[in-house]
Amino acid sequence: MKTRSMVLVALFAAFTAIGGFIKIPVPYVPFTLQIVSVYLAGCLLGPKLGMFSQLVYVLMGLAGAPVFAEGGGPSYVLKPTFGYLIGFVVGAYMNGWFMKTFQFKKAASIFLANFSSLLVVYLCGCVWLYAAMKWIIEKPFTIGQTLWFGFVLPVPGDLLLCTVCSVIIARILPRINVVISKQEVAL
């Protein structure tokens, strides 16, 4: 991996960690700004580097760095919200795959890529939340409770962030492509 790629992966992993500290407490699943890093990493870095940035973030947290919204360490796997972190990794890859495959450039189409990653994050998160509450915490949720606390309560803010990030990405993507093409010509 090139030095530039490693720096970008580390930078987006750091953005995700910072987003975890900006949170609004919601029961069971706090609302954070981490999803912004997932959108940006997938759209701007592509599928592989976007996924690696989120994987580095998750591995840092599991190694003991207190980068998650509620701490860190290997025991974090037992938390009901760990599935959302798995979703970050898969969601960033999916977002980048859509952007690379379909060459999205307009905010509306970028929204579809971001929304797909949002759905993946929530799918992974809700499945893990349901399982953790049932078998680890031993306070089982019904499927309705899981959807309420794991999806319905936190998703409005994430949809707003999805929209805002789509507009931002649509505006900065052409500028980034110009800078990248100038660097490639210089090499």
Side-chain angles (χ1 to χ4, degrees):
M1 191 183 293
K2 293 181 181 178
T3 304
R4 185 178 97 187
S5 297
M6 289 191 302
V7 168
L8 289 171
V9 165
L11 181 66
F12 278 89
F15 285 158
T16 310
I18 292 166
F21 294 111
I22 303 168
K23 62 184 171 184
I24 297 171
V26 177
Y28 300 103
V29 181
F31 172 76
T32 69
L33 294 182
Q34 292 170 303
I35 195 75
V36 170
S37 297
V38 175
Y39 299 145
L40 294 174
C43 287
L44 301 177
L45 300 182
K48 290 180 186 173
L49 293 180
M51 178 190 70
F52 284 144
S53 72
Q54 299 310 299
L55 188 59
V56 165
Y57 165 71
V58 171
L59 292 175
M60 277 186 345
L62 290 176
V67 295
F68 297 146
E70 298 173 352
S75 64
Y76 206 86
V77 180
L78 303 175
K79 292 243 184 216
T81 57
F82 185 73
Y84 294 94
L85 301 176
I86 294 168
F88 290 171
V89 176
V90 179
Y93 182 86
M94 178 176 269
N95 191 322
W97 182 85
F98 273 109
M99 291 295 292
K100 184 178 180 182
T101 303
F102 299 108
Q103 299 294 310
F104 292 149
K105 299 201 183 333
K106 297 187 184 243
S109 55
I110 293 170
F111 177 85
L112 294 175
N114 287 344
F115 186 70
S116 71
S117 64
L118 179 66
L119 290 178
V120 166
V121 169
Y122 275 100
L123 177 65
C124 294
C126 285
V127 168
W128 196 277
L129 178 64
Y130 180 80
M133 293 304 288
K134 186 171 186 171
W135 291 299
I136 297 171
I137 307 293
E138 296 182 356
K139 291 184 179 178
F141 272 180
T142 64
I143 291 176
Q145 288 173 311
T146 302
L147 291 174
W148 177 256
F149 290 113
F151 182 76
V152 174
L153 284 179
V155 83
D158 287 340
L159 280 172
L160 176 65
L161 293 174
C162 183
T163 305
V164 170
C165 286
S166 299
V167 172
I168 291 170
I169 292 165
R171 291 190 179 198
I172 65 172
L173 204 52
R175 292 181 177 98
I176 289 174
N177 290 337
V178 167
V179 170
I180 290 172
S181 64
K182 284 183 181 177
Q183 286 179 350
E184 288 172 355
V185 169
L187 296 175

